[in-house]
Amino acid sequence: MLLAAGLGKRMRPLTDHKPKPLVEVAGKTLIDHVLDRLAFSNVETAVVNVHYFAEQMEAHLAGRQHPKILISDERAGLLDSGGGVRKALPLLGEAPFIVCNCDSFWIEGPQVNLDALKAHWDPARMDILMLVAATATSVGFDGRGDYQLDSHGALARRRECETALFAYAGVLLIKPELFKGTPEIFSLNRLFDEAEARGRLFGKRLDGIWLHVGTPQAVVEAERKIALSPVE
């Protein structure tokens, strides 16, 4: 599932006339950077939710063959991240699935990150497994981090007064049953916090360089880093 329905306000003026997932970085749209990584890891089908400039999104995605694209239409109203996934559940099936943001991707290290995430998944211990990136080596992220990662891979959200070493890298594996009983509109953060309280929120460290592309300046920074990297 690719979360692509947002208004992209922080990316203005680049999003005045197009949705954020169609903003280009190094000659390729943000959503295609993510879809290419999914295709490389043999993901066969991707569900994409659309709202802002939905017609542009549908026209662009019509050209994709790998992975196959299914559209979850949110033209009637934004549902936030959790509500968007909840609405798309009939298209996603009953097995655990990947959820990706469309405003970040990564330069791969020695490991292929999506393959590593899938290999690390343990449904007996985990309800959610996040890809997390070291804030010190990330590009375009200016926060104080999101999570602490312990030696067993369990995640704990950063307290207000703390600085955390890791940021949520916008990719996770999640069980669909977590959405049972959720409201129509809600943030995925609700499920993150509930899984953490159960001791079932885990993280896998991203291998490579995470590119968080949420502002026009971050586009410039990401393109600079890509240009300096031997492999994009």
Side-chain angles (χ1 to χ4, degrees):
M1 171 94 198
L2 275 72
L3 299 173
L7 301 177
K9 293 180 179 180
R10 294 180 66 234
M11 190 66 88
R12 289 175 178 168
L14 300 181
T15 51
D16 285 345
H17 304 290
K18 68 172 68 174
K20 182 166 64 172
L22 297 188
V23 170
E24 290 193 359
V25 177
K28 185 186 296 186
T29 66
L30 282 167
I31 195 168
D32 282 318
H33 279 290
V34 179
L35 287 168
D36 286 351
R37 282 153 181 76
L38 292 170
F40 190 76
S41 291
N42 299 311
V43 173
E44 296 180 356
T45 304
V47 179
V48 181
N49 64 346
V50 298
H51 172 81
Y52 185 59
F53 290 115
E55 293 79 9
Q56 289 187 36
M57 289 291 299
E58 289 178 323
H60 180 82
L61 294 169
R64 291 279 324 195
Q65 299 298 321
H66 306 288
K68 176 184 177 183
I69 303 296
L70 302 177
I71 298 294
S72 181
D73 195 330
E74 291 183 26
R75 284 176 175 87
L78 286 169
L79 302 174
D80 208 340
S81 55
V85 177
R86 180 181 181 273
K87 184 179 189 297
L89 286 176
L91 301 173
L92 291 164
E94 298 181 357
F97 53 85
I98 297 168
V99 179
C100 300
N101 293 345
C102 282
D103 60 357
S104 67
F105 58 101
W106 56 90
I107 299 169
E108 297 280 15
Q111 296 187 57
V112 176
N113 281 290
L114 288 174
D115 289 350
L117 188 75
K118 290 184 284 185
H120 195 68
W121 174 249
D122 180 1
R125 292 192 302 141
M126 305 170 183
D127 288 339
I128 300 173
L129 175 62
M130 288 182 174
L131 197 63
V132 294
T135 58
T137 56
S138 297
V139 174
F141 182 82
D142 57 3
R144 297 172 61 191
D146 300 317
Y147 286 98
Q148 311 289 4
L149 180 69
D150 74 12
S151 60
H152 302 288
L155 291 176
R157 190 182 289 276
R158 175 184 65 82
R159 296 176 183 175
E160 187 174 351
C161 58
E162 292 180 335
T163 297
L165 296 178
F166 294 96
Y168 168 47
V171 181
L172 58 82
L173 260 165
I174 191 169
K175 294 179 176 178
E177 53 263 37
L178 270 60
F179 293 86
K180 184 177 181 180
T182 54
E184 181 182 11
I185 302 172
F186 75 101
S187 169
L188 281 172
N189 280 294
R190 167 177 170 161
L191 300 186
F192 301 167
D193 292 344
E194 290 173 354
E196 180 188 341
R198 294 190 298 270
R200 297 183 62 85
L201 178 68
F202 284 79
K204 177 73 174 71
R205 182 171 181 169
L206 182 142
D207 188 13
I209 300 171
W210 182 49
L211 308 173
H212 180 253
V213 191
T215 65
Q217 179 58 35
V219 173
V220 175
E221 294 172 8
E223 290 182 331
R224 184 181 301 122
K225 180 61 71 171
I226 290 169
L228 294 172
S229 301
V231 179
E232 184 268 306

